[in-house]
Amino acid sequence: MAWRELWDARDVLWSLLLRDWKVRYAPTRLGWLWALVQPAAAILIIGWVFGRFRVPQGGVPSSVYLASTWALWQYFSTVVVQCSQVYVQNAALLKKVHFPRVVLPLSKVLGALPELVLGALVGMAIASFQSPFQWGWLASLPIALAMAVVCSLGLALVVANVGALWRDLGFGLPALIQLLFFVSPVAFGAQRLKGIPGVIWNPLLPALDVQHRLWFGAHTQLGHGEALWVAGLLLIGGALWSWKLGPQLGAQL
Amino acid sequence: MKPLAIEARGLGKRFRGMGEPALEGVSFSLEAGSRLGIVGNNGAGKSTLLKILSRVLLPDSGEAFLRGRVASLLELGSGFHPELSGRDNVFLSGTLLGMKRSEVRSRFDEICEFSGIGPAIDRKVKDYSSGMYVRLAFSVASHLDADILLLDEVLAVGDPGFQARCLQRIEELGESGKSIVLVSHHLDSLERFCERALWLERGRVRMEAETPELVRAYLDSLRDRARGETPASDPELRKGSGGWRIRQIRLFEEGDVRESKPEETRRGAPYILEIEAQGAEETLAQAAEIGLSLNFVNERAQVVGSLDSLRSGVWFEPWGAEGIRLRCRIDPWPFLPGEYVVRARLSLGGRLLDKLEGGLAFRVLEESWPKVVRQGAVEIRATPFP
């Protein structure tokens, strides 16, 4: 029943995606160029800072490390922040029109993929200045895309529901995202996270670590099993919760 | 007997923090291809009922079965985004309301033509006038391919010309075999479209009957309530931020000391209107800033005229203890024969202080001579122009 309804709503999903893509950069002058400028600026600035502190990265320059995973990290944090507000922002719609509610967080999870691809390409371009370009980088892109959706979808659904029920999330989320940044292998390899309790349960870990392995062949001996379990549980829990909460959202908001 | 398009059994809904349930034990059914109107005061549960039928709200109790594809229009322009072009918005709104993108594509020309927007369809909607916006929104809505249409007050927008086309379009949809549920304050349109009607009062079904019969009963009750001695006692008729309360509205013919039969008036005679209100003592100084607006509603529930005290240059003055009073002359009494109810609002600097539905009811008597042809509600007088 629920699947059938979701499948029937695919045109709604597509319309919402088109809306978001057309509107996102509409009032700006640079438009979609921002999808290139933003990751470039972030990689260069954070890479420079980490480089100055000489964080040891096994011979790989900091900005190259960052270049391999920044777009993915940016994707995760954007999707989580957007999903935390997606029901509240669309409250007017939810109170007047019936459609499967999960379409809204889904549209955010899929809607950020173009920026992920563009950001990854920017990362490759920056990395190729400091180390010889490798075709493997390009090959890692489809894997990054798939892992991004797998690791973020469950989290996105849960965060969307929490955001609809407790507005407090909007205030607490920035701190949580910052914490997540430091327990995820973004600016440094996963081996540096060893010993931090609970880090293997971070659902974002596999996607980021797989990128590092594909780019640098780094063997971190950090298992992905636990994190994938968490991602899977979040997905199942998030889906069931959304299925239950969805029809009530019209009255909740 | 025809198959049923809608079957609602014992629908109930209670909102958090509200004492009275918004809906309680509402049951009705609608045969496929027929049209049902829903009337009731504000807060009677009309919108709640429609939301439950459209599956935007879950009922706390009861069930509703809808057979066929449902399109519900609880507002115009659902999902419209100002930064998108009219064309993109047609697709967005159309799919949100239940169409496939391919269906919107095949109907696009029709939608565009009905809206009369023309080449502006590719301009951003934020540059549209409100009239254009409404026209485009209604065009999308009225081209939905559904078996059951749920409509809420959508008729009450747009300029009169477009409204007439909307009504015609809804009539066409009804004739093409769609089942329609229509919530509206326009009793006229309800009578035109709907064979049957449902009257909700405080969340319950007060009456379900053929539309003309129900409209008559509904209007009778509005008038009865307006004639009551203490209009202020019925909280359902009151709204506003409190503090100030309209205590009494009186009407008498000028020079008529006996104040005979205040509710029977004569067209063309001079009348005195007297309104008393009550408030906290410390706010009495504001009396002159308090505005009064009166809407005169005829038996078709149409507002036929209104009076704004501040614009007319009449003021409230302190009157007795904790009271203020406004007296003004209306000369000549402009209403044609018929029955009228007055809706009064008190406001202070844009803030609504009190609203009283039906604080006064009066009748304008038929005249023997000159015979008035009863067309419309207001007399328009003319004098020779050289």
Side-chain angles (χ1 to χ4, degrees):
Chain A
M1 255 284 291
W3 290 114
R4 179 66 217 247
E5 218 183 327
L6 191 57
W7 175 244
D8 284 342
R10 62 194 184 281
D11 280 23
V12 176
L13 176 61
W14 183 239
S15 288
L16 290 172
L17 280 173
L18 284 179
R19 174 192 76 178
D20 284 356
W21 289 334
K22 284 185 178 173
V23 163
R24 187 169 301 157
Y25 299 104
T28 66
R29 285 171 194 261
L30 289 189
W32 274 85
L33 273 179
W34 276 116
L36 304 176
V37 174
Q38 272 193 327
I43 292 169
L44 291 176
I45 293 169
I46 302 176
W48 175 70
V49 172
F50 274 68
R52 274 189 71 84
F53 288 117
R54 305 202 189 285
V55 180
Q57 304 276 21
V60 183
S62 284
S63 54
V64 177
Y65 237 105
L66 212 54
S68 66
T69 39
W70 180 258
L72 257 179
W73 166 254
Q74 196 58 57
Y75 172 83
F76 286 135
S77 53
T78 313
V79 163
V80 169
V81 169
Q82 285 182 344
C83 281
S84 71
Q85 292 158 11
V86 72
Y87 288 138
V88 175
Q89 274 172 356
N90 289 285
L93 206 54
L94 295 174
K95 284 178 184 176
K96 299 286 184 183
V97 188
H98 169 78
F99 58 90
R101 277 35 179 140
V102 283
V103 166
L104 285 170
L106 262 179
S107 77
K108 298 300 175 194
V109 168
L110 298 178
L113 288 178
E115 274 91 347
L116 172 54
V117 173
L118 292 171
L121 292 175
V122 167
M124 289 173 207
I126 291 176
S128 64
F129 279 111
Q130 299 176 46
S131 93
F133 180 80
Q134 292 166 37
W135 287 102
W137 295 354
L138 263 183
S140 74
L141 190 53
I143 299 170
L145 282 172
M147 295 283 290
V149 174
V150 169
C151 292
S152 66
L153 187 53
L155 192 59
L157 292 178
V158 170
V159 163
N161 290 344
V162 174
L165 296 178
W166 297 286
R167 305 286 163 91
D168 311 66
L169 184 66
F171 296 95
L173 203 56
L176 285 176
I177 298 267
Q178 243 155 21
L179 176 69
L180 208 56
F181 179 77
F182 289 111
V183 295
S184 302
V186 184
F188 37 76
Q191 69 277 3
R192 296 186 62 85
L193 294 173
K194 270 188 178 169
I196 299 178
V199 78
I200 49 168
W201 303 98
N202 176 358
L204 309 185
L205 178 77
L208 297 163
D209 193 38
V210 162
Q211 286 302 304
H212 285 153
R213 289 189 191 189
L214 288 171
W215 278 52
F216 313 118
H219 280 288
T220 54
Q221 280 114 40
L222 209 62
H224 293 167
E226 290 87 348
L228 285 173
W229 267 108
V230 172
L233 282 178
L234 280 173
L235 185 57
I236 294 169
L240 288 176
W241 191 12
S242 302
W243 185 38
K244 184 127 173 45
L245 183 68
Q248 299 169 20
L249 281 173
Q252 287 283 357
L253 290 162
Chain B
M1 188 177 143
K2 282 186 187 171
L4 293 179
I6 300 179
E7 214 180 336
R9 289 195 209 124
L11 293 178
K13 179 78 191 173
R14 185 186 289 270
F15 291 107
R16 273 175 305 172
M18 306 284 263
E20 294 270 301
L23 221 54
E24 201 176 6
V26 171
S27 304
F28 69 93
S29 58
L30 177 69
E31 285 180 5
S34 58
R35 287 158 286 180
L36 179 79
I38 299 181
V39 297
N41 286 318
N42 292 332
K46 306 186 297 287
S47 301
T48 307
L49 176 58
L50 222 49
K51 282 183 176 182
I52 287 175
L53 295 178
S54 354
R55 294 202 292 161
V56 170
L57 279 183
L58 280 181
D60 294 338
S61 56
E63 288 170 301
F65 301 96
L66 285 85
R67 291 180 189 89
R69 221 170 137 182
V70 182
S72 74
L73 278 175
L74 305 189
E75 66 179 349
L76 274 183
S78 294
F80 267 41
H81 196 290
E83 284 285 347
L84 289 178
S85 68
R87 182 185 299 272
D88 290 337
N89 271 310
V90 168
F91 278 89
L92 177 60
S93 189
T95 43
L96 278 169
L97 292 171
M99 276 195 277
K100 301 262 158 254
R101 287 184 75 84
S102 56
E103 289 171 320
V104 181
R105 204 167 297 125
S106 67
R107 264 164 229 211
F108 185 81
D109 292 337
E110 224 177 303
I111 293 172
C112 196
E113 196 189 309
F114 184 85
S115 73
I117 294 253
I121 193 76
D122 285 311
R123 285 224 315 269
K124 284 185 178 179
V125 159
K126 69 174 177 185
D127 298 330
Y128 281 21
S129 68
S130 58
M132 288 162 80
Y133 181 97
V134 162
R135 292 209 308 267
L136 187 62
F138 184 83
S139 302
V140 178
S142 67
H143 286 81
L144 295 174
D145 182 26
D147 309 307
I148 303 176
L149 277 172
L150 309 171
L151 308 172
D152 189 357
E153 289 287 354
V154 280
L155 308 175
V157 288
D159 55 277
F162 188 72
Q163 268 186 37
R165 271 172 72 203
C166 296
L167 296 177
Q168 197 192 337
R169 174 75 191 156
I170 291 176
E171 209 160 12
E172 282 169 28
L173 291 172
E175 277 159 12
S176 68
K178 294 189 194 304
S179 317
I180 297 180
V181 175
L182 181 67
V183 166
S184 180
H185 284 303
H186 291 235
L187 297 178
D188 263 347
S189 37
L190 286 184
E191 260 186 322
R192 255 173 76 193
F193 298 130
C194 304
E195 298 93 348
R196 294 186 69 78
L198 194 68
W199 172 6
L200 290 182
E201 197 173 74
R202 292 177 196 174
R204 296 162 190 267
V205 178
R206 163 127 177 215
M207 184 177 181
E208 189 190 347
E210 309 267 309
T211 312
E213 187 191 339
L214 187 136
V215 166
R216 215 173 307 126
Y218 179 65
L219 288 168
D220 279 349
S221 100
L222 277 187
R223 269 193 297 276
D224 286 350
R225 234 178 345 200
R227 287 220 185 90
E229 280 297 303
T230 49
S233 62
D234 190 343
E236 198 185 320
L237 303 177
R238 311 293 303 235
K239 277 192 178 155
S241 57
W244 286 91
R245 282 275 169 264
I246 297 168
R247 193 161 51 191
Q248 193 181 36
I249 304 179
R250 290 200 309 149
L251 179 70
F252 49 89
E253 200 172 330
E254 190 173 9
D256 184 0
V257 269
R258 292 169 296 116
E259 296 178 18
S260 65
K261 292 220 176 174
E263 71 269 24
E264 295 195 345
T265 62
R266 296 182 301 120
R267 181 182 67 93
Y271 276 88
I272 304 297
L273 199 56
E274 189 184 275
I275 295 96
E276 283 177 35
Q278 203 170 5
E281 203 171 342
E282 62 269 26
T283 52
L284 277 181
Q286 299 170 321
E289 294 160 44
I290 293 177
L292 169 78
S293 93
L294 299 178
N295 284 342
F296 295 84
V297 185
N298 71 3
E299 61 247 60
R300 303 246 64 94
Q302 296 158 331
V303 178
V304 297
S306 40
L307 183 157
D308 185 318
S309 68
L310 293 180
R311 199 174 297 183
S312 308
V314 292
W315 291 281
F316 277 103
E317 282 163 4
W319 172 254
E322 295 182 4
I324 53 175
R325 188 178 74 163
L326 180 146
R327 292 181 91 163
C328 60
R329 177 193 288 115
I330 299 175
D331 182 22
W333 196 236
F335 304 99
L336 292 178
E339 303 206 36
Y340 300 85
V341 173
V342 174
R343 192 185 291 159
R345 298 158 168 274
L346 279 188
S347 58
L348 179 62
R351 189 166 60 93
L352 182 67
L353 297 174
D354 188 25
K355 184 177 151 189
L356 179 58
E357 197 83 34
L360 173 76
F362 60 88
R363 192 210 308 247
V364 180
L365 299 172
E366 294 288 343
E367 291 154 72
S368 48
W369 189 91
K371 192 78 185 161
V372 175
V373 183
R374 209 183 139 1
Q375 284 273 5
V378 181
E379 181 186 15
I380 298 163
R381 287 204 170 176
T383 49
F385 181 73

